[in-house]
Amino acid sequence: MRANYKTVQLYGESEFVIQKSRFLSFVKRVETEQDAMDFIQEIKKEHHTATHNCSAYIIGEHDQIQKANDDGEPSGTAGVPMLEVLKKQQLKDTVIVVTRYFGGIKLGGGGLIRAYGKAASEGIAATGIVERKLHALTKVTIDYTWLGKVENEVRQSAYPLKEIVYEGDVELFLYVPVEDELIFTEWMMELTNGQAIVTEVCHEFLEFSI
């Protein structure tokens, strides 16, 4: 399982005009290639009167699925520049569709490459980027006599506290980065003179805006 990676927020869009041509960017986070293809078709259907609906996407833990489509623009002037923006920003599981309404003035090969690259970049900026970090949801079981000290230390730490359950003992549920699990366990043992019971519950991704 991947540990940390960058992707976009769930959805975003942007628009600008160059030489009377309108460029609309639509960006979405996707999990599968079918999700990406469905999104592309959705935009094409919505903007069926547009001159072009160019697209690019990267999917997979190792970026194993990469596609670019020029949709009628000169080969390599639309989809590829968009794909390069995704790769340069190291984004995963992301699809971009750039819709162009031709304004009557040709941009030339270089102009198209710059325009589609700009459209992709602005679409991503409008959507926002997050880093997804793998955390272990961790349960810390302690006697009530340790609650004040442990809760105070936890709330001042970098480990997000999900909840506290008051049973026969106290159970604190926290999110710990997978790479810090050993350090966290040692810290809990030090705080409680070895009295805490630290248990990994499951793995979950937390998102942090970049």
Side-chain angles (χ1 to χ4, degrees), residues 95-113:
V95 58
I96 301 178
V97 181
V98 175
T99 297
R100 182 190 183 190
Y101 286 90
F102 183 53
I105 301 175
K106 293 185 177 181
L107 300 181
L112 287 172
I113 290 172

Side-chain angles (χ1 to χ4, degrees), residues 155-170:
R155 291 191 183 278
Q156 295 184 60
S157 75
Y159 303 112
L161 176 63
K162 181 180 181 181
E163 64 177 336
I164 300 177
V165 177
Y166 302 93
E167 298 287 352
D169 290 316
V170 184

Side-chain angles (χ1 to χ4, degrees), residues 22-209:
R22 290 175 63 212
F23 289 85
L24 291 74
S25 303
F26 306 93
V27 182
K28 187 177 182 180
R29 185 194 303 179
V30 290
E31 294 184 358
T32 68
E33 185 170 20
Q34 188 61 53
D35 290 340
M37 294 168 63
D38 290 345
F39 179 68
I40 293 168
Q41 291 305 313
E42 177 185 324
I43 299 301
K44 283 187 172 184
K45 183 177 180 180
E46 182 179 351
H47 294 275
H48 62 276
T49 61
T51 317
H52 307 281
N53 287 288
C54 306
S55 58
Y57 54 82
I58 291 181
I59 300 168
E61 181 176 355
H62 303 292
D63 303 334
Q64 57 265 40
I65 303 174
Q66 301 184 23
K67 296 288 177 62
N69 190 305
D70 296 314
D71 195 41
E73 292 282 31
S75 180
T77 62
V80 170
M82 294 159 58
L83 183 62
E84 287 302 314
V85 171
L86 290 175
K87 292 163 69 174
K88 184 176 181 180
Q89 298 202 32
Q90 299 179 321
L91 297 177
K92 297 180 182 294
D93 299 344
T94 302
V95 58
I96 301 178
V97 181
V98 175
T99 297
R100 182 190 183 190
Y101 286 90
F102 183 53
I105 301 175
K106 293 185 177 181
L107 300 181
L112 287 172
I113 290 172
R114 288 189 293 274
Y116 280 100
K118 177 182 178 181
S121 295
E122 291 197 358
I124 291 168
T127 307
I129 297 175
V130 297
E131 183 171 13
R132 304 195 78 215
K133 296 184 177 181
L134 188 63
H135 285 65
L137 177 57
T138 304
K139 179 175 71 173
V140 178
T141 305
I142 54 174
D143 182 87
Y144 277 85
T145 57
W146 295 106
L147 177 58
K149 178 180 181 181
V150 172
E151 182 179 359
N152 182 61
E153 291 290 334
V154 163
R155 291 191 183 278
Q156 295 184 60
S157 75
Y159 303 112
L161 176 63
K162 181 180 181 181
E163 64 177 336
I164 300 177
V165 177
Y166 302 93
E167 298 287 352
D169 290 316
V170 184
E171 297 174 343
L172 296 89
F173 292 84
L174 305 95
Y175 289 105
V176 179
V178 290
E179 63 271 20
D180 291 346
E181 287 186 82
L182 179 58
I183 294 173
F184 176 81
T185 298
E186 291 176 346
W187 180 50
M188 283 294 110
M189 292 302 173
E190 181 180 337
L191 282 178
T192 63
N193 291 333
Q195 299 300 304
I197 299 174
V198 180
T199 309
E200 180 185 292
V201 178
C202 64
H203 283 159
E204 296 182 21
F205 280 104
L206 299 188
E207 296 186 1
F208 302 87
S209 295

Side-chain angles (χ1 to χ4, degrees), residues 8-25:
V8 291
Q9 299 276 12
L10 296 181
Y11 176 79
E13 56 186 63
S14 65
E15 177 181 349
F16 66 88
V17 177
I18 296 179
Q19 296 291 339
K20 298 183 179 180
S21 281
R22 290 175 63 212
F23 289 85
L24 291 74
S25 303

